[in-house]
């Protein structure tokens, strides 16, 4: 899901509190400072100034090992032993992760400003490094489920007969923890704390009380031959009730790439489920606060882009801002609604898009690393004949949140407007890879149809448009009109006429010329 508000107060308490009402040192990690970056081994965060840099768990480990051993050249065998626990690793896999570490800190294989390769010897972190301990002493205990929604991802259980698969199972847990930590308004307990429960039979409600979290995610991973099965369950930590469950089956290919993909897919699916559960809880709260109202707004926004859902979502975002004018997530929610409304207009949309752009510019001036805000800015630019700029904004959003699947779909639309429609389908498929059951699927299918129309492939365009309508019968009326145009080009006039009529039912006030009794053949 997206980067957002993470409640600093609860981050402090949940990361540093001992739960036995006595002083205790939490964590024995280090914080490294280099260039304008910091790397916190306890919280497993790489930051550039105040900005948290998205980085895969294994790449984080590689970077941390190099920095921690910056006084010497580290050999390939050293890295394999430390990061992969001595397992066989190809040179390509090692190089890929080394390049990812360089990219995360603004370095490259050509510059080698911070990470230098010594031929036939190894690599060394050559940047100036300053170390500081992360240990903090505090006392006290938070009350169960207090504050804003919080979650712990418990270490997944390895159900495979091979205990050597533990490394993969742990990697899935870490990837999912990292991805969920970017969700707006949800605090996620750090990996190090969660892994203190690894291999233990625990009382889930007791763990919830100890950590002061509202939700818990537990799961298992089982490998059988060439297939991998993952089961996950979302649990209410206060009651122990199961709120949601999912099974994930996939062919085993590259385990490390699969680990990231599983984390991305689960994070996207779970993000929607958490919003739904939080909205249900907030609707029953005697005194809803600003973030409660935000979650209720997001629940309606996730239903789709039909006028009723967008209108209800905006009402909740407005109420949230009346309670807290600084609620950035509610601001972005309103901008999202207004962008979708303007994008679905069948007449000149420039004026409403200018209003949204001004709002997003203000949000990004104060919150420059908000992934969804960058993505929405990209949408505005794509729809106002600045597709190249819009694509760049969506790419920036993906740098901040690699799982923001909808950004890939908008890039695909932007490519259409740049005359590169043949590239669009690959972007749409990437969006579906990250979020196969996304509530925006109908919009993505429509974009694929638009691309085929640009290419003159009317049969393929009609198939995409029909799939879009099948997924969401209340989708914006212009999809019906696009389908009608494709069918008309295929000389299927009566079928085209039926879809024009269906589109007009969805927008009865749309000004149109009389529909011909029969389309020309």
């Amino acid at each position: 899901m997206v980067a957002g508000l993470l409640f600093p107060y609860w981050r402090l308490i949940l990361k540093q509190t001992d739960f036995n009402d006595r002083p205790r040192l939490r964590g024995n990690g280090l914080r490294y400072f280099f260039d304008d970056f910091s790397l916190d081994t306890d919280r497993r965060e790489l930051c550039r100034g105040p900005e948290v840099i998205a980085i895969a768990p294994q790449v984080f480990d590689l970077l941390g090992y190099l920095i921690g051993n910056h006084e010497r050249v580290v050999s390939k065998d050293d890295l394999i032993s430390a990061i992969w626990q001595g397992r066989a690793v190809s040179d390509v896999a090692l190089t890929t992760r080394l390049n990812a570490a360089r990219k995360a800190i603004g370095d490259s294989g050509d510059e080698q400003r911070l990470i230098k390769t010594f031929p036939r010897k190894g690599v060394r972190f050559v940047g100036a490094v300053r170390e500081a301990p992360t240990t903090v002493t505090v006392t006290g205990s938070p009350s169960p489920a207090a504050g804003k929604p919080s979650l712990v991802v418990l270490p997944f259980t390895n159900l495979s007969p091979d205990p050597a698969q533990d490394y993969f199972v742990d990697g899935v847990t870490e990837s999912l923890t990292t991805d969920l930590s970017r969700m707006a308004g949800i605090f996620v307990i750090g990996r190090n704390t969660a892994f203190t429960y690894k291999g233990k039979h625990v009382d889930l409600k007791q763990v919830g009380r100890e950590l002061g979290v509202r939700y818990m995610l537990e799961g298992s991973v089982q490998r059988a031959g060439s297939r991998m099965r993952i089961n996950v369950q979302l649990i209410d930590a206060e009651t122990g009730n199961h709120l949601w469950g999912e099974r994930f089956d996939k062919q085993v290919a590259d385990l490390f790439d699969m680990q990231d993909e599983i984390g991305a897919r689960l994070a996207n699916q779970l993000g929607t489920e958490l919003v739904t559960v939080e909205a249900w809880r907030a609707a029953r709260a005697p005194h809803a606060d600003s973030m409660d109202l935000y979650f209720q707004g997001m629940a309606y926004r996730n239903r789709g882009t039909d006028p009723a859902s967008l209108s209800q979502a905006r009402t909740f975002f407005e109420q949230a801002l009346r309670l807290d004018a600084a609620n950035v997530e509610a601001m972005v929610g309103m901008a999202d609604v207004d962008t979708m409304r303007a994008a679905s207009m069948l007449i000149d949309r420039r004026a409403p898009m200018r209003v949204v752009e001004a709002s997003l510019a203000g949000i990004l001036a104060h919150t420059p690393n908000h992934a969804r805000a960058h993505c929405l800015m990209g949408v505005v630019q794509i729809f106002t004949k600045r597709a190249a700029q819009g694509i760049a904004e969506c790419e920036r959003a993906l740098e901040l949140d690699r799982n923001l699947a909808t950004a890939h779909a908008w890039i695909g639309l932007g490519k259409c407007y740049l005359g590169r429609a043949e590239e669009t389908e690959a972007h749409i498929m990437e969006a579906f890879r990250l979020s196969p059951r996304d509530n925006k699927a109908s919009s993505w299918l429509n974009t694929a149809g638009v691309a085929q129309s640009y290419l003159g492939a009317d049969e393929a365009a009609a198939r995409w448009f029909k799939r879009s309508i099948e997924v969401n019968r209340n989708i914006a009326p212009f999809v019906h009109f696009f389908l009608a145009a494709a069918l008309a080009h295929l000389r299927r006039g009566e079928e085209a006429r039926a879809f024009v009529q269906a589109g007009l039912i969805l927008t009865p006030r749309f000004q149109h010329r009389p529909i011909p009794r029969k389309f020309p053949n």
Side-chain angles (χ1 to χ4, degrees), residues 148-357:
K148 287 304 167 185
S150 47
L151 170 79
V152 60
V153 182
L154 293 175
F156 282 20
T157 303
N158 177 20
L159 298 183
S160 302
D162 180 8
Q165 293 296 319
D166 276 355
Y167 74 91
F168 177 79
V169 177
D170 290 350
V172 170
T173 307
E174 290 193 21
S175 287
L176 188 54
T177 301
T178 301
D179 292 336
L180 290 175
S181 68
R182 302 189 185 101
M183 286 176 53
I186 302 290
F187 172 79
V188 181
I189 293 291
R191 177 262 189 212
N192 286 2
T193 296
F195 267 73
T196 61
Y197 296 97
K198 180 177 171 62
K200 298 178 181 177
H201 179 71
V202 295
D203 181 312
L204 296 179
K205 289 195 285 186
Q206 176 63 28
V207 173
R209 287 191 293 270
E210 289 178 353
L211 298 182
V213 294
R214 184 174 290 179
Y215 303 110
M216 309 175 72
L217 192 74
E218 64 170 3
S220 61
V221 181
Q222 183 174 13
R223 183 176 181 179
S226 63
R227 296 199 65 82
M228 184 75 70
R229 170 170 292 177
I230 296 182
N231 288 288
V232 292
Q233 300 88 37
L234 179 66
I235 299 163
D236 185 315
E238 191 171 2
T239 65
N241 294 333
H242 285 229
L243 302 173
W244 171 78
E246 184 62 82
R247 189 176 74 186
F248 186 100
D249 287 289
K250 188 170 175 65
Q251 287 283 345
V252 176
D254 184 290
L255 287 180
F256 301 116
D257 290 342
M258 182 182 172
Q259 170 186 308
D260 290 341
E261 180 177 342
I262 290 170
R265 288 194 179 191
L266 287 177
N268 278 310
Q269 292 180 32
L270 182 60
T272 300
E273 295 297 330
L274 274 173
V275 166
T276 302
V277 171
E278 269 301 302
W280 179 87
R281 182 190 293 268
R284 285 153 180 77
H287 303 289
D289 66 14
S290 182
M291 285 306 296
D292 288 333
L293 294 166
Y294 160 73
F295 280 114
Q296 292 183 72
M298 282 304 300
Y300 277 99
R301 172 63 188 91
N302 287 341
R303 292 184 181 184
T305 57
D306 60 285
S309 295
L310 291 178
S311 178
Q312 191 63 61
R314 200 179 198 284
T315 297
F316 277 112
F317 294 142
E318 289 171 345
Q319 292 174 5
L321 288 169
R322 279 198 289 270
L323 287 181
D324 179 7
N327 187 333
V328 175
E329 300 310 323
M331 293 180 199
V332 174
M334 283 184 61
D336 190 350
V337 168
D338 293 344
T339 302
M340 294 306 103
R341 282 177 168 175
S344 65
M345 294 175 67
L346 296 174
I347 55 176
D348 189 358
R349 55 172 72 97
R350 287 175 295 182
M353 284 291 187
R354 280 197 297 268
V355 174
V356 178
E357 184 169 2

Side-chain angles (χ1 to χ4, degrees), residues 32 57 63 68 105 111 168 210 306 324 327 367 443 453 498:
Y32 298 104
L63 183 58
I105 57 176
E111 290 182 89
F168 177 79
E210 289 178 353
D306 60 285
D324 179 7
N327 187 333
T367 315
S443 174
S453 293

